Amino acid sequence: MLDVVVLGAGLAGLSAARDLRSSGCEVAVLEARDRIGGRVLQTTLDDGRLVQLGGELIGSTHTAYRALVGELGLTLRDSYIAEPGQTVWDIDDSVSVGDPAPWMTDEDRSDYDRVVGLFVDLAKGIDPDNPWSHPDAVALDATSFYHWLRSVGARDAVVRMFELAKAGLAADTLKRTSLLAELRKAAVAGDELVNYYDVDQWTRSTVAEGSATVAARMAEELAGHIRLSCVVTEIAVHPDHVDVMLATGEVIAAANVVCAIPVAPLRRVAISGLSDERLHALRRIRNSLSAKVVAAYETSFWRDLGKNGSSYSEGLVGATWIQGPGVISALVTPAQLAFHMAGDQSARDRDALEALARMYGPQAAKPKALFTREWSAEPFTLGYMAHYAPGDLTAIGPTHSRPEGRFFVAGSDYWVAGYMEGAVRTGRAAASAILAR
Ligand SMILES: Cc1cc2nc3c(=O)[nH]c(=O)nc-3n(C[C@H](O)[C@H](O)[C@H](O)COP(=O)(O)OP(=O)(O)OC[C@H]3O[C@@H](n4cnc5c(N)ncnc54)[C@H](O)[C@@H]3O)c2cc1C
């Protein structure tokens, strides 16, 4: 019998399996798709440039991911933050350029600073690993970020700025975001927290060799221990072992299971042998939905326009940023996703190019290559990043990421707000919890 069966070959499953293997455990990774990587995926243009179609950016708070990148012999480089030029603002049917946002008045900017100060003070009282322990956790969770902003008297322009920031991350709207979840995410920065969203802490770097290369390197180390095209349909946790059933009817037994399947596809997997509380928590977590658009051009033509390729928009894509030379990344916001998905591929492409052309001129409508990846419709992802609406954290409770018997979970969906950091952190934590036994 195997020591551990790991379900899902995303960053979480691979990092768990890698640590278990290197400690001598007999491990098998079962992956539904015919490729490894899950929500990290890259492709190569005919001129050799790598293009990331999934997870891409990391920051200083992403310590587990950074450590893994070092162990794998990979390197980090500056992300879009190194791009010269100014940011584009596509709001209210008009496009403006400038840093800071030119549509904010001096009064708006000082009110923004005031509100951020209040937010930071509140966030400093939250333990990101256990937000439920805060004495006002239930009330903070029941409050939407929007209602909190209004309760502290934030000006309309300031509320709009926060809404743009959420859209830029392809997160759900302020009204559909739990204040406690938002504070918890910010609290990850610890004593260094000074701003609502600090690019250094979240997005300042990317892996020079391509972010999907992190998964590929781990898979190379695990050669012979990963089985592709194995769709898990059932997990039975027994007192002395675990049985995992595949869609083919095959049953694989192991002493322990690390379940690194994202929360939405996991709802289709029958699970027995866990407490009702544990199962409810697993089923209750949700993702926000998004699609990624990547346009590759011969040159970084936006530089000639004095623009840096970064934008915030109330349109189809909430933000754009430079992925590398001549390559722009963008995310379709959850609010726009239904419209995006309702069109056929030609409509999706046309709408995405129109959005880019509004911000960067007619040249943006003629990329060398255009990719749209509808992650929320992919059956083995069905989402983008963990999202907590008001009341969600209270309903899910603290048990959701803890081991129960021989059942261990890993995955970015179990760490504050997702991210590749969450996948690696929880994957390695699951491995060390098993090894500690
Ligand atoms: C468009 C997009 C952009 C992103 N941008 C960033 C970013 O810039 N920075 C960042 O840090 N993060 C980003 N993320 C998030 C990040 O990519 C993910 O949080 C992370 O990669 C998830 O890793 P995981 O291992 O937890 O899950 P996944 O990568 O989803 O891996 C889960 C694996 O389980 C498999 N699976 C599913 N169902 C079954 C089944 N029934 N049986 C067997 N296997 C199954 C899947 O095929 C998959 O391989 C982005 C995500 C998306 C979609």
Side-chain angles (χ1 to χ4, degrees):
M1 185 163 68
L2 290 164
D3 293 320
V4 187
V5 60
V6 177
L7 315 182
L11 288 172
L14 291 170
S15 49
R18 175 175 177 266
D19 284 357
L20 291 162
R21 265 302 291 158
S22 65
S23 298
C25 289
E26 206 41 63
V27 176
V29 183
L30 307 178
E31 167 54 48
R33 287 179 165 103
D34 60 2
R35 63 167 182 86
I36 57 96
R39 277 170 274 179
V40 293
L41 175 66
Q42 62 199 14
T43 187
T44 310
L45 299 176
D46 54 16
D47 59 15
R49 282 178 290 169
L50 270 179
V51 170
Q52 301 304 319
L53 303 176
E56 185 188 328
L57 302 164
I58 61 137
S60 59
T61 52
H62 298 181
T63 50
Y65 183 87
R66 296 172 85 91
L68 177 66
V69 165
E71 285 171 35
L72 295 169
L74 301 172
T75 45
L76 294 173
R77 66 165 170 83
D78 275 352
S79 63
Y80 65 91
I81 58 148
E83 189 74 8
Q86 288 194 305
T87 302
V88 171
W89 303 88
D90 177 10
I91 62 162
D92 246 356
D93 281 337
S94 73
V95 173
S96 57
V97 183
D99 294 305
W103 50 274
M104 296 270 283
T105 64
D106 288 348
E107 290 79 15
D108 292 336
R109 280 188 205 111
S110 73
D111 193 48
Y112 180 83
D113 292 343
R114 175 186 70 84
V115 171
V116 167
L118 294 172
F119 179 83
V120 166
D121 286 348
L122 257 183
K124 286 199 164 154
I126 305 287
D127 173 358
D129 295 323
N130 190 4
W132 301 273
S133 64
H134 190 281
D136 299 326
V138 173
L140 292 172
D141 187 38
T143 306
S144 74
F145 193 23
Y146 177 86
H147 282 103
W148 177 78
L149 287 169
R150 288 302 186 195
S151 74
V152 297
R155 295 167 73 102
D156 288 349
V158 171
V159 173
R160 189 172 207 176
M161 191 62 158
F162 280 102
E163 201 74 83
L164 274 174
K166 297 290 292 170
L169 294 168
D172 216 324
T173 56
L174 298 175
K175 282 187 181 163
R176 278 208 287 259
T177 300
S178 148
L179 174 60
L180 182 64
E182 203 67 3
L183 295 167
R184 176 199 194 190
K185 181 177 169 188
V188 167
D191 293 342
E192 283 166 33
L193 181 66
V194 287
N195 212 334
Y196 165 64
Y197 187 87
D198 186 320
V199 292
D200 276 352
Q201 285 161 4
W202 293 93
T203 53
R204 75 156 297 122
S205 313
T206 191
V207 173
E209 296 84 357
S211 93
T213 306
V214 175
R217 283 276 167 95
M218 288 196 283
E220 279 165 27
E221 290 184 14
L222 288 163
H225 299 274
I226 302 175
R227 287 180 57 185
L228 299 177
S229 305
C230 288
V231 179
V232 172
T233 55
E234 214 175 309
I235 305 167
V237 184
H238 306 290
D240 58 348
H241 77 285
V242 178
D243 285 324
V244 171
M245 188 180 285
L246 304 183
T248 54
E250 185 186 353
V251 176
I252 293 155
N256 297 285
V257 62
V258 175
C259 180
I261 294 174
V263 289
L266 187 61
R267 290 191 201 116
R268 295 176 176 164
V269 177
I271 305 178
S272 60
L274 292 185
S275 64
D276 288 348
E277 186 195 6
R278 186 73 178 66
L279 207 50
H280 165 79
L282 272 183
R283 303 292 194 216
R284 185 65 169 72
I285 302 168
R286 65 176 116 206
N287 264 209
S288 64
L289 306 182
S290 177
K292 186 163 179 174
V293 175
V294 183
Y297 304 89
E298 299 288 355
T299 63
S300 300
F301 65 89
W302 46 86
R303 288 184 178 178
D304 303 335
L305 309 170
K307 298 175 180 176
N308 59 15
S310 289
S311 67
Y312 290 91
S313 166
E314 290 174 344
L316 182 77
V317 294
T320 64
W321 67 94
I322 299 312
Q323 187 177 127
V327 180
I328 289 186
S329 288
L331 290 169
V332 176
T333 66
Q336 298 283 345
L337 194 74
F339 170 77
H340 175 75
M341 295 304 295
D344 70 353
Q345 194 58 52
S346 66
R348 292 175 193 169
D349 290 355
R350 187 197 59 226
D351 294 340
L353 291 176
E354 271 178 20
L356 293 173
R358 271 176 65 77
M359 296 186 264
Y360 301 111
Q363 225 176 322
K366 297 189 180 73
K368 179 185 159 80
L370 179 71
F371 306 90
T372 62
R373 190 93 195 176
E374 283 75 24
W375 289 96
S376 302
E378 295 201 11
F380 299 117
T381 301
L382 297 174
Y384 157 60
M385 282 209 196
H387 174 74
Y388 301 94
D392 276 3
L393 276 172
T394 307
I396 292 161
T399 57
H400 71 285
S401 58
R402 293 186 191 144
E404 187 176 310
R406 296 174 175 277
F407 182 88
F408 297 76
V409 287
S412 62
D413 299 340
Y414 307 106
W415 183 70
V416 289
Y419 290 86
M420 298 183 291
E421 168 68 15
V424 175
R425 212 181 260 223
T426 57
R428 301 195 92 165
S432 60
I434 290 174
L435 293 169
R437 292 223 179 135

